[in-house]
Amino acid sequence: NAGVTQTPKFRVLKTGQSMTLLCAQDMNHEYMYWYRQDPGMGLRLIHYSVGEGTTAKGEVPDGYNVSRLKKQNFLLGLESAAPSQTSVYFCASRLAGGSYNEQFFGPGTRLTVL
Amino acid sequence: DAKTTQPTSMDCAEGRAANLPCNHSTISGNEYVYWYRQIHSQGPQYIIHGLKNNETNEMASLIITEDRKSSTLILPHATLRDTAVYYCIATESGTYKYIFGTGTRLKVLA
């Protein structure tokens, strides 16, 4: 199993440009998440999904949109990138329900907005 | 979700036990305590979790106080590869999210 993969690994954007980050998991997990991590900080939840076709806002959703058209994929979009969105973006997934709900994380996407 | 408080940084000698404390004084009865670690800038990695009882797995032990207001993660024989940021998280069973905080930066010294 590849686990959780993220595409691309690195990206540099100019202010105002748009892009989509792709997260894919092959573990048949129902829940998927997008986090951002700024230097010296912990992870903050942007958006999440509890199943195909559903999405919800997390702690810091402004400036981002998401889609979950297929169970295995979770896309994060930046419509008009801003320097404040320079960060490392992590995707995660987990099984639904139960008390044992470990999240599995991808390797991250390092985004710089100039 | 309960707020957690951890020391900013700690050092530990290689081969010795690393004891990482976490305060979660506002934790509710159905909130679990989870520990993750992040090595360099990789994605966080699950270590262990618990509700009331102490827990042990191949990576670590988790000691939770009787009043559940604090816990300690124990790495019994720390190695250089254990150098990482360790996050203590309290979250409700079955909830969709974690609140990570800034964690404890553990440095294992040779």
Side-chain angles (χ1 to χ4, degrees):
Chain A
N1 286 349
V4 179
T5 58
Q6 294 183 231
T7 308
K9 289 184 172 55
F10 303 93
R11 186 72 185 269
V12 178
L13 289 178
K14 294 181 180 179
T15 297
Q17 287 185 318
S18 63
M19 78 163 294
T20 300
L21 283 67
L22 170 64
C23 175
Q25 53 92 8
D26 61 1
M27 298 173 283
N28 203 34
H29 287 172
E30 289 83 4
Y31 291 9
M32 296 187 74
Y33 308 79
W34 276 108
Y35 295 89
R36 60 176 289 173
Q37 185 174 35
D38 300 328
M41 305 290 289
L43 279 72
R44 292 185 291 170
L45 182 65
I46 304 172
H47 285 281
Y48 66 98
S49 167
V50 298
E52 184 177 320
T54 71
T55 63
K57 295 179 180 180
E59 302 171 76
V60 289
D62 293 342
Y64 305 94
N65 57 74
V66 288
S67 64
R68 182 104 181 265
L69 299 180
K70 294 182 178 181
K71 185 177 183 178
Q72 64 268 33
N73 296 336
F74 196 28
L75 279 64
L76 178 70
L78 287 73
E79 291 186 344
S80 180
S84 61
Q85 293 178 304
T86 293
S87 191
V88 180
Y89 292 85
F90 289 100
C91 176
S93 71
R94 72 167 177 90
L95 289 169
S99 61
Y100 176 66
N101 52 352
E102 171 190 353
Q103 288 195 3
F104 293 82
F105 285 82
T109 294
R110 285 147 184 78
L111 175 66
T112 301
V113 183
L114 302 175
Chain B
D1 291 343
K3 177 179 172 61
T4 60
T5 305
Q6 300 176 252
T8 303
S9 64
M10 295 180 63
D11 291 340
C12 177
E14 188 177 21
R16 303 296 295 270
N19 297 282
L20 289 85
C22 178
N23 287 321
H24 30 79
S25 59
T26 61
I27 196 169
S28 63
N30 58 354
E31 286 188 308
Y32 283 72
V33 179
Y34 291 80
W35 283 84
Y36 281 73
R37 72 180 182 183
Q38 187 175 25
I39 297 173
H40 295 300
S41 297
Q42 300 174 17
Q45 174 191 23
Y46 167 82
I47 301 173
I48 198 167
H49 77 287
L51 182 62
K52 297 179 182 178
N53 301 320
N54 298 338
E55 302 288 345
T56 296
N57 63 21
E58 65 277 5
M59 291 181 67
S61 295
L62 174 60
I63 308 298
I64 302 174
T65 58
E66 191 169 346
D67 63 8
R68 301 207 329 117
K69 292 186 176 182
S70 66
S71 60
T72 301
L73 177 74
I74 301 172
L75 307 178
H77 305 286
T79 70
L80 298 178
R81 288 191 297 271
D82 292 322
T83 293
V85 178
Y86 288 77
Y87 295 101
C88 168
I89 303 155
T91 191
E92 192 170 322
S93 172
T95 191
Y96 56 82
K97 66 178 183 179
Y98 301 124
I99 304 298
F100 269 80
T102 55
T104 296
R105 186 172 297 276
L106 175 69
K107 186 173 183 180
V108 180
L109 306 172

